[in-house]
Amino acid sequence: MVALTNKLIQLIRYVLSYPLSLIRITLPVFIGKKVYGSSSYEFYLEFNSSYINGKTWFLEMLPDFVFNLDYSQFIFFKYFLIIVILCSSIGLLGRLNLLILAGYSYLLFGIGEGYGIFDHHTSLPAQVLFALALVPGSMKLSVDNILVTFIRKRKNLFSYNPTPKWGFNLVLALVAVTYFTAGLSKIRYGGLKWMDGSTLSFYLKERTDNYAKQGEAQLVIGDATMPSNKKWKDPFGFVAHTYGNYQTVKSKNAMADYVANNGFLVALLSIGSLLFELLAFIVFINSRYRNMFLITAILFHLSIGELMGISFRQYRLICLFLIDWKLIFDTVIGIAQQKKLKLIRVRSN
Amino acid sequence: MNLLKKWYKHLIVFVVLAPNLFVVAFGIESFPFTCAPMFGHYIDNNTNLYIFKFEGVRKGIKTDLSNYYNKPEDCFIRHFFSKVYGSAEAISPFTHKLTESPEAFNQRMNAFFEDYTAFLKKEHQMTFDRIDISVKSVDQNRNVLMDYKILGSFISSNSSYVSVYKPKNK
């Protein structure tokens, strides 16, 4: 029994030692599902003829034939995508398949951006897929690794081989930059007054879907303070479009309204979320700070999901696996062992 | 071998992070790189909010085109505002262009309307003498504060967009 427990502890510790592999197993399924869902021929077909103004940097680099596939070719690539998702997840020709899956994401969500909706849910995860294809540590728990172990006749598949830390740090840096820039944008476009809570209050009370039928869902913001010599297109000085609040559950709307109408609470949440985003780089101080930030990030997205119907599921998944679970696991095991020792001493006395 | 590994590491770190740092520094976005402008622009009760509308005009008769966008209205307007019309600021967080000029603006507007009029003709057998873009000012609950005013029109006969607004300093 003790031997079995020790083996189990060893196995868990081994698995937790490779967080990038855990992300590689799960993220392709989560993001692949979204990519597959976006792969309709009508969605794809319309792009080339009508959206010449909407090409992203990535789309501009692609040859023309990518946008001129006929229906049968498109369907072939759609089914090929399923194989790519599976192989990325199990790690069979893992790096190659991750690169292809990242390419699919850049292509389809890039088309989505051209249509008008930049999918911020997928921008970080798509980049993480790309990074995983290129960094050490992402293929430790994979079919590729098993095959290499057998081909090279290594004895122990589960022997711990430390991987260079830079791969993990690079993915962590992507996460930190993404949160940091979100905070920076609030200061850049909203100024320090963003912290007074009125912007958050607007978005919590916004019911975008209610205005869709009358064709008034989308608002555009005009800057009344812009000097007239800067306005040459129109007298209104349009600077931004608003974002939507897609939560339609009434009880959750009521909760959002309560927060939005409480001036102190909404200002506190605004200051808190801004500070949280600007302090993203504390993840590099040590594991405790990292865990604290990532757990806060998960809670942050859960609350946004509840109040505004924006889930950021893939972000939560990435944050979950970047938590230092090995530290938490070792701490828990340490406490359990100490309690066990105490119990033995009490019994022997 | 070690030197190769070291260079590989530096190369990958650069390839992955450099585009992100670039968009953060300039405040732009191009999928998947973003300065994350979501919810960043300040909004309170005094913020000017507008709703865009497209209308086709043929022999003096106006047709509201909001049922002919071929996609949800928010998608259509966001595409139009972000990628075609553009912000009053030269650098906008909703696109990746780093410059803006009247020439580039006219080119984008004309290209957009040429495609859109072709779509209306092909899919809905609709042709117009011109297409007007109007805006109305509303509050946060879409109550009208200022009724629709025309921003400009795309004239079909010469395939060009003409703005109603004439800047004083021009």
Side-chain angles (χ1 to χ4, degrees), chain A residues 3 33-35 62 66 75 86 114 127 131-132 180 183 189 192 219 222 235 239 247 265 278 318 337 348:
Chain A
K33 206 176 139 198
K34 254 196 126 187
V35 177
L62 296 177
V66 176
I75 292 299
L86 283 175
Q127 288 193 70
L132 289 177
F180 176 76
Y189 304 115
L192 287 176
L219 295 171
V239 286
Q247 183 56 265
L265 186 59
L278 289 175
I318 294 166
Q337 280 173 343
S348 60

Short mmCIF file of all heavy atoms in Angstrom, two decimals, chain A residues 3 33-35 62 66 75 86 114 127 131-132 180 183 189 192 219 222 235 239 247 265 278 318 337 348:
data_model
loop_
_atom_site.label_atom_id
_atom_site.label_comp_id
_atom_site.label_asym_id
_atom_site.label_seq_id
_atom_site.Cartn_x
_atom_site.Cartn_y
_atom_site.Cartn_z
N ALA A 3 3.97 1.44 -0.89
CA ALA A 3 4.72 1.50 -2.15
C ALA A 3 3.84 2.07 -3.27
O ALA A 3 4.30 2.88 -4.08
CB ALA A 3 5.20 0.09 -2.52
N LYS A 33 -11.94 23.29 -30.97
CA LYS A 33 -13.40 23.26 -31.04
C LYS A 33 -13.94 24.59 -31.59
O LYS A 33 -14.84 24.62 -32.41
CB LYS A 33 -13.95 23.02 -29.63
CG LYS A 33 -15.30 22.37 -29.58
CD LYS A 33 -15.69 22.10 -28.14
CE LYS A 33 -17.17 22.42 -27.98
NZ LYS A 33 -17.57 22.61 -26.62
N LYS A 34 -13.33 25.67 -31.11
CA LYS A 34 -13.75 27.01 -31.57
C LYS A 34 -13.38 27.24 -33.04
O LYS A 34 -14.14 27.80 -33.80
CB LYS A 34 -13.07 28.09 -30.71
CG LYS A 34 -14.05 28.73 -29.75
CD LYS A 34 -13.54 30.01 -29.17
CE LYS A 34 -14.60 31.05 -29.44
NZ LYS A 34 -14.36 32.35 -29.15
N VAL A 35 -12.17 26.79 -33.40
CA VAL A 35 -11.72 26.96 -34.79
C VAL A 35 -12.65 26.17 -35.71
O VAL A 35 -13.11 26.66 -36.74
CB VAL A 35 -10.26 26.48 -34.97
CG1 VAL A 35 -9.84 26.59 -36.43
CG2 VAL A 35 -9.31 27.28 -34.11
N LEU A 62 -0.25 35.52 -46.61
CA LEU A 62 -0.65 34.25 -47.22
C LEU A 62 -0.83 34.39 -48.73
O LEU A 62 -1.27 35.44 -49.21
CB LEU A 62 -1.97 33.77 -46.59
CG LEU A 62 -1.92 33.43 -45.10
CD1 LEU A 62 -3.31 33.04 -44.60
CD2 LEU A 62 -0.93 32.31 -44.82
N VAL A 66 -5.01 30.48 -50.77
CA VAL A 66 -5.59 30.16 -49.46
C VAL A 66 -7.03 30.69 -49.37
O VAL A 66 -7.87 30.12 -48.69
CB VAL A 66 -4.72 30.76 -48.32
CG1 VAL A 66 -5.35 30.54 -46.95
CG2 VAL A 66 -3.33 30.16 -48.36
N ILE A 75 -13.75 21.53 -47.43
CA ILE A 75 -14.22 20.43 -46.58
C ILE A 75 -13.05 19.51 -46.22
O ILE A 75 -12.93 19.04 -45.08
CB ILE A 75 -15.36 19.65 -47.27
CG1 ILE A 75 -16.60 20.55 -47.36
CG2 ILE A 75 -15.70 18.35 -46.54
CD1 ILE A 75 -17.18 21.02 -46.03
N LEU A 86 -6.51 16.43 -32.82
CA LEU A 86 -6.24 15.19 -32.07
C LEU A 86 -4.74 14.95 -31.91
O LEU A 86 -4.25 14.64 -30.83
CB LEU A 86 -6.88 14.00 -32.78
CG LEU A 86 -8.39 13.86 -32.59
CD1 LEU A 86 -8.93 12.72 -33.44
CD2 LEU A 86 -8.72 13.60 -31.12
N GLY A 114 -11.33 40.65 -39.66
CA GLY A 114 -11.67 41.40 -40.87
C GLY A 114 -13.16 41.69 -40.94
O GLY A 114 -13.58 42.76 -41.36
N GLN A 127 -1.62 32.21 -29.71
CA GLN A 127 -0.18 32.46 -29.60
C GLN A 127 0.50 31.43 -28.71
O GLN A 127 1.65 31.06 -28.94
CB GLN A 127 0.06 33.85 -29.03
CG GLN A 127 -0.27 34.96 -30.00
CD GLN A 127 0.26 36.29 -29.51
OE1 GLN A 127 1.46 36.51 -29.49
NE2 GLN A 127 -0.63 37.16 -29.12
N ALA A 131 3.66 29.10 -29.54
CA ALA A 131 4.84 29.01 -28.67
C ALA A 131 5.10 27.56 -28.26
O ALA A 131 6.26 27.09 -28.26
CB ALA A 131 4.65 29.90 -27.44
N LEU A 132 4.06 26.82 -27.94
CA LEU A 132 4.21 25.42 -27.51
C LEU A 132 4.88 24.58 -28.59
O LEU A 132 5.60 23.62 -28.29
CB LEU A 132 2.86 24.80 -27.17
CG LEU A 132 2.16 25.29 -25.90
CD1 LEU A 132 0.80 24.63 -25.74
CD2 LEU A 132 3.00 25.03 -24.66
N PHE A 180 -1.04 42.94 -18.91
CA PHE A 180 -0.45 44.26 -18.70
C PHE A 180 -0.97 45.27 -19.73
O PHE A 180 -1.34 46.39 -19.38
CB PHE A 180 1.09 44.17 -18.77
CG PHE A 180 1.76 45.50 -18.66
CD1 PHE A 180 1.86 46.14 -17.43
CD2 PHE A 180 2.27 46.15 -19.78
CE1 PHE A 180 2.47 47.39 -17.32
CE2 PHE A 180 2.87 47.39 -19.69
CZ PHE A 180 2.98 48.01 -18.45
N GLY A 183 -4.39 46.60 -19.06
CA GLY A 183 -4.36 47.66 -18.05
C GLY A 183 -3.85 48.96 -18.64
O GLY A 183 -4.43 50.04 -18.42
N TYR A 189 -6.39 55.06 -23.06
CA TYR A 189 -7.60 55.56 -23.73
C TYR A 189 -8.62 56.18 -22.75
O TYR A 189 -9.43 57.00 -23.15
CB TYR A 189 -8.28 54.44 -24.53
CG TYR A 189 -7.34 53.82 -25.54
CD1 TYR A 189 -6.94 52.50 -25.43
CD2 TYR A 189 -6.81 54.60 -26.56
CE1 TYR A 189 -6.04 51.95 -26.34
CE2 TYR A 189 -5.91 54.07 -27.47
CZ TYR A 189 -5.53 52.74 -27.36
OH TYR A 189 -4.63 52.21 -28.24
N LEU A 192 -6.74 58.36 -16.06
CA LEU A 192 -6.87 57.93 -14.66
C LEU A 192 -8.33 57.93 -14.21
O LEU A 192 -8.71 57.22 -13.28
CB LEU A 192 -6.03 58.83 -13.75
CG LEU A 192 -4.52 58.61 -13.82
CD1 LEU A 192 -3.79 59.63 -12.96
CD2 LEU A 192 -4.12 57.20 -13.41
N LEU A 219 -22.71 50.80 -30.61
CA LEU A 219 -22.50 52.23 -30.36
C LEU A 219 -21.09 52.62 -30.75
O LEU A 219 -20.16 51.81 -30.64
CB LEU A 219 -22.71 52.54 -28.87
CG LEU A 219 -24.11 52.33 -28.30
CD1 LEU A 219 -24.09 52.46 -26.78
CD2 LEU A 219 -25.08 53.34 -28.90
N GLY A 222 -17.82 59.20 -29.64
CA GLY A 222 -17.24 60.41 -30.21
C GLY A 222 -16.51 61.18 -29.12
O GLY A 222 -16.96 61.21 -27.98
N PRO A 235 -17.65 66.13 -38.03
CA PRO A 235 -17.51 67.02 -36.85
C PRO A 235 -17.59 66.29 -35.51
O PRO A 235 -17.49 66.91 -34.47
CB PRO A 235 -18.73 67.96 -37.01
CG PRO A 235 -19.72 67.18 -37.78
CD PRO A 235 -18.98 66.22 -38.65
N VAL A 239 -13.93 57.92 -32.08
CA VAL A 239 -12.63 57.35 -31.68
C VAL A 239 -12.67 55.85 -31.38
O VAL A 239 -11.64 55.18 -31.40
CB VAL A 239 -12.05 58.07 -30.43
CG1 VAL A 239 -11.53 59.44 -30.80
CG2 VAL A 239 -13.06 58.14 -29.30
N GLN A 247 -24.62 38.93 -21.51
CA GLN A 247 -25.30 38.13 -20.48
C GLN A 247 -26.82 38.36 -20.60
O GLN A 247 -27.27 39.50 -20.57
CB GLN A 247 -24.80 38.54 -19.09
CG GLN A 247 -25.39 37.73 -17.95
CD GLN A 247 -25.15 36.24 -18.11
OE1 GLN A 247 -26.01 35.53 -18.64
NE2 GLN A 247 -24.00 35.76 -17.69
N LEU A 265 -18.64 50.43 -4.79
CA LEU A 265 -18.25 49.08 -5.19
C LEU A 265 -17.68 49.05 -6.61
O LEU A 265 -16.64 48.43 -6.87
CB LEU A 265 -19.47 48.15 -5.07
CG LEU A 265 -19.22 46.66 -5.30
CD1 LEU A 265 -18.21 46.11 -4.31
CD2 LEU A 265 -20.54 45.89 -5.18
N LEU A 278 -2.15 45.78 -14.38
CA LEU A 278 -0.85 46.46 -14.48
C LEU A 278 0.25 45.72 -13.71
O LEU A 278 1.44 45.87 -14.01
CB LEU A 278 -0.97 47.90 -13.98
CG LEU A 278 -1.76 48.85 -14.89
CD1 LEU A 278 -1.92 50.22 -14.22
CD2 LEU A 278 -1.09 49.01 -16.25
N ILE A 318 -5.31 28.18 -19.46
CA ILE A 318 -3.87 28.46 -19.50
C ILE A 318 -3.40 28.86 -18.09
O ILE A 318 -2.39 28.36 -17.59
CB ILE A 318 -3.55 29.56 -20.54
CG1 ILE A 318 -3.84 29.03 -21.95
CG2 ILE A 318 -2.11 30.02 -20.43
CD1 ILE A 318 -3.89 30.12 -23.02
N GLN A 337 2.46 14.42 5.66
CA GLN A 337 3.52 13.58 6.26
C GLN A 337 3.80 13.99 7.70
O GLN A 337 4.01 13.15 8.57
CB GLN A 337 4.77 13.64 5.41
CG GLN A 337 4.67 12.72 4.20
CD GLN A 337 5.83 12.86 3.24
OE1 GLN A 337 6.57 13.86 3.29
NE2 GLN A 337 5.99 11.90 2.35
N SER A 348 2.75 5.87 19.68
CA SER A 348 3.87 5.15 20.33
C SER A 348 4.04 5.59 21.80
O SER A 348 4.55 4.84 22.62
CB SER A 348 5.17 5.39 19.56
OG SER A 348 5.44 6.75 19.55
#
